[in-house]
Amino acid sequence: MNRDMEKEMRMQVFEKLAEYRYEQLVFCHDKATGLRAIIAIHDTTLGPALGGCRMYPYATEEEAMVDVLRLARGMTYKAAASGLNLGGGKSVIIADPRTDKSEALFRSFGRYIETLAGRYIVAEDVGTSTEDANFIRVETSHVVGVDVTRGGSGDPSPLTALGVRQGMRACAEAVFGTTSLEDRVVAVQGIGHVGYHLCRLLHEEGASLIVTDVDAAAVERAVREFGAKAVELDEILTIPCDIFAPCALGAVLNDATIPELRCSIVAGSANNVLAESHHGEALSERGILYAPDYVINAGGLINVADELEGYNERRAVNRVMRIEDTIRRVIAISRRDGVPTNIAADTLALERIAAISSMERLHTGHPYGQLRRRRETI
Ligand code: NAD
């Protein structure tokens, strides 16, 4: 590689970092263990950057870098909107989780995290587990999501579901004038870890459930335990209901599905529910209130972040309950600014960061246009 090519590559990375004001990008390589990892720290204004480590056999280094940068920035917004004193970060290990895991690999990665002296705190993500976090923990204390016997917070799904229920209450208040979910009809897509606990909580509140899942056993269980009505996979999007709760896949709200919806509220745990940012506007135009995914599904993050203070379940539950208020604030900003709720969520996050840092830099130009541009690629 000649000098010009080297310079161009460096420029490309720094241009990428400059575009959304990333603070730091760390490439980790260990020949002995085969470790190839990237840690991205987006913003530490509110506190150390916390975010999971994704293990995936990315086809190219570029793909891995784009993914880790995008995910790290998303964590900044999620932590800020959730009221956590944490910044946004994420990491990726370029490897196949089915074949490439070893104690040595995760301990090697743990040593890299330790070199960052707490600027980045790692957690589990797609492709990594509590067992992997335990190996990382041998080398660094800057890890959450470890085994419960080592101070870990355990399965986050029940608290994620609790947060979604709380968010639904705030939405119900805005749309129906009461936080009560009694007799509301809720259509839940995906009865997995979060979906099951959500159905349980809603059943306890006296809501009527409509469910679907590719897993027939999960559907049967919801029918048996909660008297849910089972429908076909596609039907869940078009069935008349008060609340549609996506708890399975991303991008379920798109050009094809939004016109078909027959609900008043969309509130579920799934990540990246909107195929694209402008679909928030499409929902708003249809008069459907959308609870932004990263705000309403933050219960798991709030729960795992509690480990940093010595995990206390009661405190974690209390913090997750506040998602109701956070969604209320998002709805208030949406009405104040005349913007869709997904944009209002970004505003909530950015306003908090700006207030803490007094950084006018986050608010250059026309706020709505800037926020829309920033959000589009999260
Ligand atoms: P999960 O894998 O346990 O459950 C997902 C369920 O969806 C499974 O039962 C699966 O069979 C079902 N499913 C898959 N394809 C489907 C389809 N086409 N139609 C209907 N059902 C389908 O996952 P989870 O942990 O319950 O998470 C659910 C969603 O919430 C994911 O998008 C996840 O990223 C998000 N989330 C989860 C947490 C958490 O604490 N687990 C936290 C934040 C966000």
Side-chain angles (χ1 to χ4, degrees):
M1 192 185 299
N2 66 35
R3 280 198 173 172
D4 284 347
M5 276 171 71
E6 265 180 35
K7 192 177 166 198
E8 199 192 331
M9 272 196 67
R10 273 206 305 271
M11 279 301 293
Q12 284 172 358
V13 172
F14 280 114
E15 274 166 19
K16 279 192 173 74
L17 298 188
E19 191 183 1
Y20 292 107
R21 299 177 187 278
Y22 289 91
E23 292 180 10
Q24 196 174 4
L25 192 62
V26 185
F27 286 79
C28 317
H29 176 249
D30 180 4
K31 196 173 178 190
T33 61
L35 176 75
R36 287 190 304 150
I38 312 175
I39 301 169
I41 296 177
H42 176 241
D43 190 290
T44 57
T45 305
L46 300 176
L50 189 149
C53 172
R54 187 163 285 197
M55 190 173 197
Y56 187 79
Y58 293 97
T60 64
E61 290 167 19
E62 170 85 13
E63 203 184 292
M65 194 171 78
V66 167
D67 207 28
V68 76
L69 288 172
R70 177 182 64 87
L71 294 166
R73 190 157 56 91
M75 292 305 295
T76 296
Y77 285 81
K78 187 165 185 168
S82 304
L84 294 167
N85 295 315
L86 292 168
K90 204 89 180 186
S91 55
V92 294
I93 296 179
I94 306 170
D96 190 333
R98 290 167 305 178
T99 51
D100 298 338
K101 286 189 178 188
S102 70
E103 175 184 355
L105 182 96
F106 286 105
R107 288 187 61 166
S108 170
F109 185 52
R111 286 195 289 277
Y112 273 103
I113 292 167
E114 180 65 12
T115 66
L116 292 169
R119 274 175 59 70
Y120 171 65
I121 300 161
V122 69
E124 288 167 42
D125 201 90
V126 177
T128 55
S129 67
T130 299
E131 196 185 8
D132 307 330
N134 288 344
F135 290 137
I136 293 173
R137 181 71 183 80
V138 177
E139 304 290 344
T140 182
S141 59
H142 307 301
V143 52
V144 289
V146 293
D147 198 276
V148 280
T149 59
R150 295 170 199 233
S153 52
D155 178 9
S157 316
L159 286 206
T160 301
L162 178 68
V164 173
R165 200 267 317 265
Q166 293 304 104
M168 281 183 179
R169 285 184 174 170
C171 291
E173 182 183 55
V175 173
F176 307 119
T178 167
T179 56
S180 170
L181 298 171
E182 195 176 354
D183 295 331
R184 292 284 160 222
V185 179
V186 185
V188 185
Q189 181 186 44
I191 320 298
H193 286 93
V194 181
Y196 173 78
H197 288 291
L198 180 63
C199 286
R200 178 178 52 76
L201 293 171
L202 293 172
H203 178 63
E204 283 166 13
E205 294 241 337
S208 294
L209 296 167
I210 302 172
V211 298
T212 197
D213 197 296
V214 287
D215 178 355
V219 173
E220 275 166 33
R221 189 179 175 197
V223 170
R224 191 175 64 245
E225 293 185 21
F226 312 126
K229 177 185 166 190
V231 296
E232 294 301 318
L233 292 177
D234 287 347
E235 220 182 328
I236 201 84
L237 285 153
T238 57
I239 199 142
C241 59
D242 294 310
I243 304 173
F244 169 56
C247 296
L249 314 160
V252 286
L253 299 183
N254 52 48
D255 290 341
T257 58
I258 291 173
E260 303 294 324
L261 293 175
R262 292 169 74 189
C263 59
S264 305
I265 294 166
V266 173
S269 74
N271 279 311
N272 305 315
V273 171
L274 305 178
E276 289 175 59
S277 179
H278 69 83
H279 290 119
E281 214 159 331
L283 284 171
S284 163
E285 277 165 10
R286 281 219 47 211
I288 297 171
L289 178 59
Y290 168 62
D293 48 7
Y294 72 80
V295 180
I296 197 167
N297 75 15
L301 173 66
I302 296 167
N303 185 52
V304 83
D306 201 84
E307 289 179 28
L308 297 168
E309 296 170 60
Y311 185 64
N312 179 313
E313 190 181 350
R314 224 168 120 182
R315 184 176 59 208
V317 166
N318 285 337
R319 285 177 175 164
V320 171
M321 297 284 278
R322 289 187 212 144
I323 287 177
E324 182 175 345
D325 266 338
T326 310
I327 293 288
R328 260 192 208 113
R329 287 165 69 194
V330 168
I331 295 168
I333 291 171
S334 161
R335 289 175 177 168
R336 179 194 76 188
D337 295 355
V339 296
T341 47
N342 58 316
I343 302 299
D346 294 351
T347 306
L348 177 68
L350 291 174
E351 283 183 350
R352 178 156 180 253
I353 294 170
I356 300 299
S357 68
S358 308
M359 283 191 303
E360 281 307 307
R361 65 183 174 88
L362 287 163
H363 282 297
T364 50
H366 185 268
Y368 184 31
Q370 282 291 314
L371 292 168
R372 276 168 65 91
R373 195 177 64 77
R374 282 172 200 285
R375 183 72 181 100
E376 256 153 30
T377 52
I378 285 179

